Amino acid sequence: MRSRSDFQRPRPNTRRYDEPPARRTGTDADLLSSLEQLDGKTYGAYKTVIGDWDYGTFQVMIDRIQADPFAPPSLLRVQSTPEKMGLPTSLIETREQRIAVADFLIRTFDREIQSHGRGAVQIARTGQEILERSACSVSADRIELRFQVQMPARGRMILGRTAAEIFDRDVPDAIVNTLDFTSSEAADDLEAMRAHVHTYEDYHALQKALADNGWMAFVADGSMLARLSGVSQLPMEDAVAFESPESLRREVTLPHAGLVKGMAIEPGVTVIVGGGYHGKSTLLNALQRGVYAHIPGDGRELVATVDDAVKVRAADGRAVTGVDVSPLITELPGGADTARFTTENASGSTSQAASIMEAIELGTRLLLIDEDSSASNLLMRDSRMRTLVESEPITPLVDRIRALADTGGVSTLIITGGTGDYLDAADRVIMLDTYKCYDVTDRAREVVEEQPRKRTDEPWPISESKRCPLPENVQSDRPKTKAAGTDGIILDNQTISLADVEQIVESGQSEAIAWIVRGMLEHVCYGELTVGEALDQVERMLTSGGLDTLRRFGAREYPAFLVRPRRVDAGAALNRFRGLKLSD
């Protein structure tokens, strides 16, 4: 643990508060004295320490005290400056650098409290992705870190001396070990931070290379794509390193990694084939998470996918409101209007069709599809079934996928192990064999010639439909706006399932989405803006003011656990809201 001697000033004489104001100010010594005096009092007396406490080179701000020992923990902030931290200005000059530094500081603080704390201090937990988070913000003149403290008690009686120890040791030690880059002991941490920033900058340069070259995705040679297990995003240590096929290999030059070679996925229809357990889903998982940057050592640092790519799958039972699914489904029994299709309980095929059309409506450039999680009757119909069943409302995607790319401007990457009909429409076919990647496009075309089928390609209809949400007051007697992990959000009495929105990777994104959906329904959507236009307004708000701007929609002051979601994922949540109403 680092010494605090150079980072924290000596404490002045203690002064006490007999009649504390609503929000107090003082030194760290004042805070410790106040906590000790609270020992043995009823829990509500903790509220007397709400205020701003000067620890010398940083301030600890206690913003909210929990109502009782069993309530959610108390909310705190710490503020300092880059100058006091010894943080080089060269690492915080750009927005990308500041996001990466903030992400690094959150991880460092979490590691400190996990290693040396007694469990009372908590901060937002992070995954493998570098994301914009409300738990830490960095600017040229301020660093702010937000966290929680479980204020100690025995029953409902304050343990004031224990609380004083937490604020004398656990909290300041974690802060110093996170924020102090002035001492010689911090040299390794500073280098690790620099590597974190450089990784994030290289990822954004790779995203720019996608845009400049018109690529949909890029996977660098040497990437370690396999994960530790099906429920872990940690890298598998003995994974096979990715190597691109020569025919698909391209080069990019990045600011820190230099010349990088790898596989570029160009626009159009890409079909990935291979036997079971040979790496198809591993590659797809890397690509669907390639919409985010990854931390150093993850193995997928130089995997990038266009940031609006959408993984679509079947989701039996989801709500659909006014979606034009007619390019894929027509003439349903009962006369349902598939140009404005609405249901409270979609089937596998109709749910996936709706998800495809909603993603296109939101402007996706790339659809990601896995045969294993799709409705088979939406993907294809073989010649025998077409002959036997002539009346079929579903136009399978295989009939439209070519036109979707050529005239609709939307590329598709589909994984299939048993549907050879997509070979006809493919621009390229990639095979995974024991985690090795091969370009088998030429062989696939030979197979198509050797085993021809009647082509069923159909044009992609241009929809004129515009979905403009109406305002909806979703309040109830017990208002709630919260996340249910990454699989759903709760708005008052309604739960919106996001289990099929697979590119939400942290619960903080779900919580931010919950506030976005509430804000759109109550403050943005008035029947004039389309879903996309309403989301654009929210995006501009978040970009200009950060996640704190969600306070306009009712989010708590100084939110500590929000994570910036993608526009398309927030749109997916709105589209799954069962109370959604559209203007005529």
Side-chain angles (χ1 to χ4, degrees), residues 288-301:
Q288 73 184 59
R289 286 185 175 247
V291 297
Y292 304 115
H294 287 82
I295 61 174
D298 174 81
R300 300 169 294 185
E301 300 96 313

Side-chain angles (χ1 to χ4, degrees), residues 368-402:
L368 303 172
I369 301 174
D370 189 341
E371 179 184 67
D372 286 350
S373 58
S374 297
S376 59
N377 57 340
L378 183 72
L379 293 189
M380 59 87 64
R381 291 178 73 216
D382 63 25
S383 57
R384 289 178 173 177
M385 196 57 67
R386 289 175 191 266
T387 301
L388 180 64
V389 182
E390 296 182 7
S391 178
E392 170 56 69
I394 298 176
T395 301
L397 182 62
V398 70
D399 294 1
R400 300 283 200 193
I401 197 170
R402 184 70 263 162

Side-chain angles (χ1 to χ4, degrees), residues 276-322:
Y277 305 99
H278 279 257
K280 302 189 301 298
S281 295
T282 297
L283 176 58
L284 180 62
N285 182 272
L287 290 170
Q288 73 184 59
R289 286 185 175 247
V291 297
Y292 304 115
H294 287 82
I295 61 174
D298 174 81
R300 300 169 294 185
E301 300 96 313
L302 297 180
V303 177
T305 308
V306 289
D307 58 8
D308 53 19
V310 177
K311 170 80 178 295
V312 292
R313 58 175 298 167
D316 291 39
R318 64 153 289 195
V320 178
T321 304

Side-chain angles (χ1 to χ4, degrees), residues 487-558:
D487 288 341
I489 60 175
I490 298 171
L491 295 182
D492 300 337
N493 297 324
Q494 296 201 40
T495 298
I496 302 174
S497 175
L498 301 177
D500 64 308
V501 187
E502 295 184 13
Q503 288 160 288
I504 297 173
V505 295
E506 291 190 9
S507 60
Q509 290 178 306
S510 300
E511 186 174 348
I513 287 172
W515 287 111
I516 289 171
V517 172
R518 181 181 286 280
M520 291 177 69
L521 291 171
E522 296 183 354
H523 302 285
V524 179
C525 298
Y526 290 98
E528 298 177 356
L529 300 177
T530 65
V531 174
E533 291 167 344
L535 287 166
D536 289 341
Q537 275 199 14
V538 174
E539 281 292 296
R540 289 191 291 270
M541 182 182 82
L542 292 173
T543 299
S544 63
L547 288 159
D548 279 5
T549 58
L550 292 180
R551 289 173 56 192
R552 300 180 193 177
F553 297 158
R556 185 186 299 278
E557 189 175 16
Y558 309 124

Side-chain angles (χ1 to χ4, degrees), residues 463-478:
S463 174
E464 300 297 328
S465 174
K466 289 188 175 182
R467 299 167 66 243
C468 300
L470 289 166
E472 175 71 15
N473 191 330
V474 293
Q475 293 182 357
S476 69
D477 294 336
R478 302 183 66 183

Side-chain angles (χ1 to χ4, degrees), residues 200-474:
Y200 195 60
E201 289 181 317
D202 276 348
Y203 172 81
H204 278 273
L206 189 51
Q207 280 284 355
K208 185 177 185 300
L210 297 186
D212 292 345
N213 292 285
W215 299 335
M216 295 292 103
F218 183 89
V219 184
D221 289 348
S223 296
M224 309 297 283
L225 305 184
R227 300 295 93 186
L228 189 62
S229 70
V231 294
S232 172
Q233 286 298 315
L234 296 175
M236 181 185 292
E237 293 184 0
D238 57 349
V240 176
F242 181 84
E243 183 177 354
S244 56
E246 184 65 35
S247 57
L248 301 179
R249 185 171 295 152
R250 303 292 183 268
E251 295 180 352
V252 295
T253 301
L254 304 179
H256 305 292
L259 182 66
V260 175
K261 298 180 180 181
M263 179 176 72
I265 302 293
E266 299 194 0
V269 179
T270 301
V271 178
I272 299 179
V273 301
Y277 305 99
H278 279 257
K280 302 189 301 298
S281 295
T282 297
L283 176 58
L284 180 62
N285 182 272
L287 290 170
Q288 73 184 59
R289 286 185 175 247
V291 297
Y292 304 115
H294 287 82
I295 61 174
D298 174 81
R300 300 169 294 185
E301 300 96 313
L302 297 180
V303 177
T305 308
V306 289
D307 58 8
D308 53 19
V310 177
K311 170 80 178 295
V312 292
R313 58 175 298 167
D316 291 39
R318 64 153 289 195
V320 178
T321 304
V323 178
D324 183 1
V325 296
S326 60
L328 298 170
I329 300 176
T330 57
E331 300 177 2
L332 285 173
D337 181 7
T338 59
R340 287 177 67 86
F341 181 68
T342 298
T343 180
E344 287 284 316
N345 187 22
S347 67
S349 56
T350 55
S351 66
Q352 190 165 10
S355 294
I356 289 171
M357 301 309 300
E358 289 163 349
I360 293 171
E361 179 186 35
L362 292 175
T364 186
R365 289 168 285 173
L366 175 65
L367 295 172
L368 303 172
I369 301 174
D370 189 341
E371 179 184 67
D372 286 350
S373 58
S374 297
S376 59
N377 57 340
L378 183 72
L379 293 189
M380 59 87 64
R381 291 178 73 216
D382 63 25
S383 57
R384 289 178 173 177
M385 196 57 67
R386 289 175 191 266
T387 301
L388 180 64
V389 182
E390 296 182 7
S391 178
E392 170 56 69
I394 298 176
T395 301
L397 182 62
V398 70
D399 294 1
R400 300 283 200 193
I401 197 170
R402 184 70 263 162
L404 177 59
D406 293 341
T407 62
V410 179
S411 298
T412 303
L413 185 148
I414 183 168
I415 285 184
T416 177
T419 308
D421 287 0
Y422 280 92
L423 300 180
D424 294 289
D427 291 296
R428 67 205 60 84
V429 182
I430 298 169
M431 177 181 286
L432 272 296
D433 186 356
T434 58
Y435 289 89
K436 294 185 177 180
C437 195
Y438 301 92
D439 180 1
V440 295
T441 306
D442 291 341
R443 176 55 185 149
R445 288 173 180 162
E446 291 174 1
V447 170
V448 167
E449 291 180 3
E450 293 167 1
Q451 303 176 37
R453 73 174 183 92
K454 182 180 178 181
R455 293 293 295 269
T456 54
D457 296 346
E458 296 189 22
W460 185 262
I462 304 301
S463 174
E464 300 297 328
S465 174
K466 289 188 175 182
R467 299 167 66 243
C468 300
L470 289 166
E472 175 71 15
N473 191 330
V474 293

